[in-house]
Amino acid sequence: MMIHLKNLSKTYEGRSGTHDALRDVTLHIERGDVFGIIGQSGAGKSTLVRCINLLERPTSGSVVIDGVDVTVYEGKDLRVLRSKIGMIFQGFSLFQQRDVLGNVTFPLELRGVSKADARARARDLLSLVGLADKADFYPSQLSGGQQQRVAIARALANDPKILLCDEATSALDTLTTHAILGLLRDINEQLGVTVVVITHSLSVARQVCNKVAVVDRGRLAEAGFVEDVLAAPRSEAARLLVEADGVIGFRHADSPVIAKKAV
Ligand SMILES: Nc1ncnc2c1ncn2[C@@H]1O[C@H](COP(=O)(O)OP(=O)(O)OP(=O)(O)O)[C@@H](O)[C@H]1O
Ligand SMILES: [Mg+2]
C-alpha cells in the first residue's frame, strides 16, 4: 500500500455556506500505479488530490502514506513529506523570471543543496525530459509542451515517490499530450514513481493509467482497472462519462485499449 485515503471528507466553509467537496472517500493507490481520477467538473478531484500532499486539510478521515498517518503533519514533517510528493498543473506554474535550469534547481536550493550539485542534478533531469538544449531559455521562449516538461523536471528534483498531476495535459494538443503521457509513463516505469493523474479526458486515462477512480459529487462512485471501469462501468456516474465520451467518439480511435478490443 502506498497511498491510503481513509473515510476522507472535506467541507469548505464559505460566505455563502458550506460545501461538502469530499464525502467519505476511501481509496487505495498502490506503489507503481498510474492512477487516474476522473469525474465531472466540480466533483472534487482537485480537492481529493490536494489532500494527498495536505495542500488541503481533510475535515475528517485520514491520509496514510506507506503505512504512516500523515494527516496531522506540520512543520518539518510536512516539508519533508511534500518534498517526496511532486505536483504539476495545467498552467505549468513556472517562475517566469528564472531560466529553465533555474526553475529546476529551485527546489534543490530550497533544500540547501550546493549550487554545483543542484545544477548538475537539474541538467540530468532536463536530459531525462528531453530539454538538455534549453537550459538557458526562459519559460516564455518555450512551447506549452516544453514548459510542462520543465515543470515535470522540477517536480522530480527531490526524487519524489509520488507525482500528482492535476489536468497536466489539458492545455496541450493531442500529439503533445501523447508525448507528455509517454514521459509520465517512463517516469513511472523507470524511476518507480507512483503517478496520480486527474483528467477530464477518458482518452488520457486510457493512454496512461492502469487504474481509475470515478468521483461523483464528492463521493467515490467506483474504482478499478481502467479497462474494466471504462468498458463495463458499474456506476451511473461512470456510465455517463463513458457515454458522453462515446458521443465525442473519435477519441476512441487512438485508444490502445479500444483498438486491442476491436481486433
Ligand atoms: N477553496 C474553496 N472554497 C470553497 N469551495 C471550494 C474551494 N475549492 C473547491 N471548492 C468547491 O468544491 C467543489 C469541488 O472542487 P474541486 O476543485 O475539487 O473540483 P474538480 O473536480 O477538481 O473540478 P474541475 O474538473 O472543474 O477542476 C466545487 O464545488 C468547488 O466549488
Ligand atoms: Mg480540478
Side-chain angles (χ1 to χ4, degrees), residues 185-198:
R185 189 173 295 199
D186 289 349
I187 288 164
N188 169 256
E189 286 173 3
Q190 290 167 24
L191 306 182
V193 175
T194 301
V195 180
V196 181
V197 176
I198 297 180

Side-chain angles (χ1 to χ4, degrees), residues 120-154:
R121 168 97 181 116
R123 287 193 187 279
D124 285 347
L125 288 163
L126 288 174
S127 298
L128 177 80
V129 301
L131 285 182
D133 56 337
K134 298 280 193 278
D136 56 359
F137 279 51
Y138 282 82
S140 62
Q141 299 171 308
L142 301 178
S143 72
Q146 290 167 340
Q147 290 188 54
Q148 195 57 290
R149 286 171 189 274
V150 177
I152 291 170
R154 186 179 60 184

Side-chain angles (χ1 to χ4, degrees), residues 45-46 166-167 198:
K45 306 181 295 297
S46 294
D166 192 346
E167 301 285 358
I198 297 180

Side-chain angles (χ1 to χ4, degrees), residues 12-14 19-22 39-48 50 56 166-167 198 200 215:
Y12 289 112
E13 316 267 352
H19 181 85
D20 296 324
L22 292 177
Q40 293 190 10
S41 185
K45 306 181 295 297
S46 294
T47 303
L48 175 72
R50 289 163 59 85
E56 233 33 281
D166 192 346
E167 301 285 358
I198 297 180
H200 277 111
V215 182

